[in-house]
């Protein structure tokens, strides 16, 4: 029986976006009808109840009518605008925007300065300017969506008939615009546009169900805060929007707006939760098991997604997630076995894409630390003390891609450790991938530890703390080029510590798998030949990497 082939990698993100819009429209429809019915009954009870005390009969506000159909369409269009803008601004990788002052200075610099020397600076400014423009468009789209959505769900004939709907639309629309603008700024400030991949992959329905209670709680808090703020700003409404209303209808109108704002916030929160769940779900970049492609080259779709996708794109992150799960788990053993094919080309390509982000991190940290040394050497004789030196902001931006660095470290460490038992042809050792993996992981770890404030030098045998180890600098030997050490509890230090912990665990994973072989190589004097690359590492020197590897071999690296 023929097996349906999976969609090409280029269609993965598009299909998930379309699926997100479909499911978002379902949740928005349910919320609209529920709150419309509830608001209609509240207004009917408060305004149109007979004075004789008899109970008013329930009526259905969503019976076929022009007003119901019109408000339903406008509400869903508003939610569609918000969902599309959320997908437009979301990204798995954090991008630092340009602030208004930086935008002004950057535009002024572009007008006055032109040349190849500032090409990299101009490219960085354009990237940040695009990010800032996306945030502005998202905030504006959220404001427009709030205006239309709140006015649609709060439209009640018994209230609108008071002043032909002009005053109601003006008051509710103004509040909805402020509500959407504040929510858009809140999402941008709290970085809720960054896609966070869960540590444990669960079924989408279960993940969405687990996110319902916090989404409802957050919507309730936001609706309360926005109601108070919008009430305080309601005095700015024009006179034509502040019609004369009775006390009962005024109270009813406030209650209707609060319920309508809660409905819109709940719809937005559920859309955000649904967006996270659907876009961070694992996708298997592999042909169907048993097909001809699975027998010949099952790794090609995954490698194509890793090598040809744009850096930092959602497609690339999904490919790294799939590669990480294949490398660590025993669910898709046939896919991992295909990495160790006889020619070794597939394994080298897999290791290369896994090491590329770590090598980039180590080299960028090395450049930033060298720039800090040059700057601090010029300021060392001035009033600036060593503990007042601030780290390069570019270093802090590099540490924001913690998820990608974690996957890459786990990928290369797991494949290297697995090669001890599963590599039948010895391609991992013969191709030099084992040495490349250990050298890159140690170089990246040394760069992170140096960024955290540790002074790393090659020590003579008489000054070693342990066998072949590295002596960390004391308080009197600290270098004046690292300013991160004065804020041990800061956000930057926490990210650096987390990345260092993952790198350290990955190196120990390899050492544990090849401990006997490494000990034999160390006794024979071939440890550097077998496990350290001959070229210059991304950070440090070969002697420094060898000393650090000996610490791991003795289980003394902390």
């Amino acid at each position: 029986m023929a097996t349906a082939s999976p969609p090409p990698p280029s269609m993965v993100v598009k299909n998930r976006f379309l699926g997100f819009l479909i499911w978002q429209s379902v949740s928005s429809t349910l919320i609209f009808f529920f709150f419309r019915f509830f608001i209609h009954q509240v207004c009917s009870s408060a305004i149109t109840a007979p004075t004789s005390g008899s109970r008013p009969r329930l009526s259905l506000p969503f019976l076929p009518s022009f007003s119901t159909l019109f408000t339903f369409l406008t509400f869903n269009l508003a939610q569609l605008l918000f969902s599309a803008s959320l997908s437009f601004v979301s990204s798995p990788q954090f991008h630092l925007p340009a602030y208004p002052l930086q935008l002004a200075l950057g535009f002024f610099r572009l007008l006055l300065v032109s040349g190849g020397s500032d090409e990299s600076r101009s490219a960085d400014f354009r990237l940040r300017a695009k990010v800032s423009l996306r945030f502005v468009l998202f905030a504006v789209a959220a404001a427009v969506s709030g205006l239309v959505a709140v006015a649609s769900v709060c439209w009640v004939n018994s209230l609108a008939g008071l002043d032909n709907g002009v005053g109601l639309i003006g008051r509710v629309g103004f509040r909805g615009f402020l509500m959407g603008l504040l929510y858009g700024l809140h999402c941008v400030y709290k970085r809720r546009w960054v896609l966070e991949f869960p540590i444990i992959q669960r079924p989408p329905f279960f993940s969405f169900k687990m996110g319902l209670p916090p989404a409802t709680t957050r919507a309730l808090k936001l609706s309360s805060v926005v109601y108070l703020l919008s009430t305080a700003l309601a005095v700015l409404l024009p006179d034509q929007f502040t019609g004369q209303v009775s006390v009962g209808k005024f109270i009813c109108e406030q209650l209707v707006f609060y319920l309508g704002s809660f409905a819109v916030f709940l719809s937005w929160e559920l859309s955000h939760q649904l967006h996270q769940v659907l876009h961070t779900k694992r996708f298997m970049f592999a042909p169907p098991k048993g097909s001809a492609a699975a027998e010949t080259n099952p790794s090609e779709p995954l490698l194509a997604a890793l090598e040809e996708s744009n850096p930092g794109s959602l497609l690339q992150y999904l490919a790294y997630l799939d590669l990480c799960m294949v490398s660590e788990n025993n669910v898709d053993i046939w896919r991992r076995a295909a990495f160790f094919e006889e020619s070794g080309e597939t394994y080298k390509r897999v290791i290369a894409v896994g090491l590329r982000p770590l090598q980039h991190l180590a080299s960028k940290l090395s450049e930033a630390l060298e720039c800090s040394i040059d700057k601090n050497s010029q300021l060392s004789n001035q009033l600036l003390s060593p503990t007042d030196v601030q780290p390069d902001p570019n270093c802090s931006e590099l540490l924001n891609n913690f998820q990608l660095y974690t996957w890459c470290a786990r990928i290369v460490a797991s494949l290297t450790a697995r090669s001890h038992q599963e590599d039948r042809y010895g391609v991992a050792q013969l191709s030099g991938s084992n040495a490349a993996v250990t050298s890159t992981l140690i170089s990246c770890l040394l760069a992170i530890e140096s960024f955290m404030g540790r002074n790393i030098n090659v020590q003579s045998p008489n000054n070693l703390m342990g066998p072949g180890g590295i002596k960390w600098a004391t308080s009197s030997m600290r270098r004046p080029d690292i300013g991160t050490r004065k804020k041990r509890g800061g956000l930057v230090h926490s990210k650096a510590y987390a990345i260092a912990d993952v790198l350290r665990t990955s190196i120990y994973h390899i050492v544990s798998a090849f401990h006997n072989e490494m000990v034999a190589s160390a006794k024979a004097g071939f440890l550097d030949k077998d496990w350290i690359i001959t070229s210059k590492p991304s950070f440090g020197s070969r002697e420094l990497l060898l000393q650090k590897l000996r610490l791991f071999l003795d289980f003394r690296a902390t």
Side-chain angles (χ1 to χ4, degrees):
M1 182 174 62
T3 306
S5 60
S10 58
M11 296 296 296
V12 174
V13 179
K14 296 180 181 179
N15 292 342
R16 293 196 173 187
F17 173 69
L18 294 177
F20 162 65
L21 294 182
I22 294 174
W23 286 107
Q24 173 270 328
S25 62
V26 173
S27 62
S28 300
T29 300
L30 295 177
I31 291 175
F32 173 80
F33 283 123
F34 175 80
F35 278 91
R36 280 279 295 182
F37 175 78
F38 189 70
I39 291 174
H40 188 273
Q41 297 304 324
V42 169
C43 293
S44 299
S45 301
I47 298 178
T48 63
T51 58
S52 60
S54 61
R55 298 175 60 184
R57 293 183 299 175
L58 294 177
S59 59
L60 298 179
F62 42 83
L63 290 177
S65 64
F66 176 77
S67 60
T68 302
L69 180 61
F70 179 75
T71 53
F72 170 73
L73 292 177
T74 53
F75 182 83
N76 278 274
L77 288 176
Q79 299 303 318
L80 180 63
L81 174 62
F82 174 81
S83 300
S85 61
L86 178 62
S87 299
F88 174 73
V89 77
S90 64
S91 172
Q93 183 177 353
F94 174 78
H95 298 286
L96 188 65
Y99 298 100
L101 182 59
Q102 294 176 344
L103 286 175
L105 294 177
F107 281 120
F108 183 74
R109 187 184 298 111
L110 288 178
L111 292 176
L112 295 182
V113 180
S114 61
S117 59
D118 292 339
E119 187 66 26
S120 60
R121 183 180 299 179
S122 300
D124 181 70
F125 168 74
R126 292 190 184 95
L127 177 61
R128 293 193 176 187
K130 291 180 180 178
V131 174
S132 301
L133 179 60
R134 288 188 176 185
F135 289 161
V136 172
L137 294 178
F138 172 72
V140 173
V144 175
S145 176
L147 187 153
V148 178
V150 173
S152 300
V153 76
C154 292
W155 179 272
V156 180
N157 294 331
S158 56
L159 284 177
L162 181 67
D163 48 9
N164 295 325
V166 177
L168 178 64
I169 293 297
R171 292 186 293 269
V172 172
F174 176 74
R175 289 187 173 188
F177 183 85
L178 294 178
M179 181 185 76
L181 182 62
L182 293 177
Y183 186 78
L185 296 177
H186 167 77
C187 292
V188 172
Y189 179 74
K190 292 294 184 178
R191 300 180 181 179
R192 301 188 64 191
W193 50 274
V194 180
L195 293 174
E196 298 179 358
F197 289 79
I199 299 176
I200 300 176
Q201 287 283 328
R202 298 184 176 93
F205 176 76
F206 181 80
S207 300
F208 181 73
K209 183 181 68 174
M210 294 296 293
L212 287 179
T216 306
T217 304
R218 192 180 298 110
L220 185 61
K221 293 179 179 179
L222 290 173
S223 59
S224 301
V225 173
V226 167
Y227 173 77
L228 296 177
L229 292 177
S230 61
T231 302
L233 294 176
V235 296
L236 301 178
L237 285 173
D239 295 338
Q240 59 268 24
F241 290 158
T242 57
Q244 300 295 327
V245 296
S246 61
V247 177
K249 290 190 176 182
F250 174 78
I251 297 176
C252 184
E253 181 179 320
Q254 303 306 310
L255 180 60
V256 166
F257 172 74
Y258 182 80
L259 293 175
S261 62
F262 175 69
V264 176
F265 274 128
L266 181 60
S267 181
W268 285 348
E269 287 295 327
L270 293 183
S271 297
H272 183 272
Q273 175 68 14
L274 191 63
H275 184 269
Q276 287 277 347
V277 170
L278 294 181
H279 284 77
T280 57
K281 181 181 64 175
R282 180 196 176 188
F283 179 82
M284 296 181 59
F285 293 84
K289 191 174 181 179
S291 61
E295 297 294 336
T296 56
N297 195 358
S299 305
E300 189 59 33
L302 177 61
L303 291 174
L306 290 169
E307 297 173 347
E308 299 175 6
S309 58
N310 296 327
S313 62
L314 178 58
L315 182 62
Q316 187 186 63
Y317 271 67
L318 291 174
Y320 273 111
L321 173 61
D322 184 45
L323 178 58
C324 182
M325 300 189 72
V326 171
S327 303
E328 292 184 334
N329 303 330
N330 289 327
V331 179
D332 301 324
I333 302 179
W334 64 279
R335 295 182 60 192
R336 187 171 65 240
F339 295 159
F340 302 100
E341 48 91 16
E342 187 175 2
S343 66
E345 293 298 327
T346 302
Y347 186 79
K348 289 191 293 184
R349 292 173 63 186
V350 171
I351 294 298
V353 296
L355 293 179
R356 189 179 301 131
L358 298 177
Q359 293 172 346
H360 178 264
L361 174 63
S363 60
K364 289 298 181 180
L365 285 177
S366 178
E367 296 175 1
L369 293 175
E370 290 178 359
C371 294
S372 299
I373 294 175
D374 296 338
K375 293 179 181 179
N376 296 335
S377 61
Q378 299 175 1
L379 299 175
S380 59
N381 297 327
Q382 301 180 11
L383 298 178
L384 185 63
S385 62
T387 57
D388 291 333
V389 179
Q390 295 296 328
D392 193 337
N394 294 327
C395 296
S396 304
E397 297 177 24
L398 290 173
L399 301 182
N400 289 322
N401 299 328
F402 170 76
Q403 184 69 83
L404 182 60
Y405 301 142
T406 301
W407 286 338
C408 291
R410 290 162 54 186
I411 287 169
V412 296
S414 298
L415 289 178
T416 304
R418 297 272 187 181
S419 67
H420 189 267
Q421 300 292 336
E422 301 178 7
D423 187 7
R424 297 178 298 174
Y425 304 103
V427 296
Q429 185 68 30
L430 295 177
S431 62
S433 299
N434 288 352
V437 168
T438 54
S439 300
T440 302
L441 291 177
I442 296 176
S443 296
C444 194
L445 177 61
L446 291 175
I448 292 292
E449 290 179 339
S450 181
F451 175 77
M452 293 166 61
R454 286 185 171 182
N455 190 4
I456 305 173
N457 293 318
V458 179
Q459 303 296 328
S460 62
N462 297 328
N463 295 330
L464 294 179
M465 298 288 291
I470 299 174
K471 181 179 180 181
W472 303 116
T474 60
S475 59
S476 60
M477 298 174 58
R478 291 179 179 177
R479 294 191 318 190
D481 55 290
I482 309 298
T484 315
R485 58 179 173 269
K486 76 169 188 172
K487 294 184 179 180
R488 294 291 183 182
L491 180 60
V492 176
H493 185 272
S494 300
K495 294 179 180 179
Y497 183 86
I499 297 176
D501 187 56
V502 173
L503 293 171
R504 198 176 295 111
T505 304
S506 301
I507 298 173
Y508 271 126
H509 190 189
I510 299 175
V511 171
S512 300
F514 291 90
H515 187 263
N516 296 333
E517 289 81 355
M518 287 185 176
V519 171
S521 298
K523 291 181 179 179
F526 299 139
L527 186 62
D528 57 340
K529 181 180 179 181
D530 296 336
W531 295 96
I532 304 297
I533 58 177
T534 57
S535 58
K536 187 180 184 305
S538 302
F539 182 87
S541 59
R542 296 187 74 252
E543 294 78 10
L544 188 60
L545 267 62
L546 180 61
Q547 289 186 3
K548 188 68 172 179
L549 181 58
R550 290 182 179 274
L551 280 179
F552 279 99
L553 192 58
D554 295 330
F555 296 96
R556 293 185 136 187
T558 57

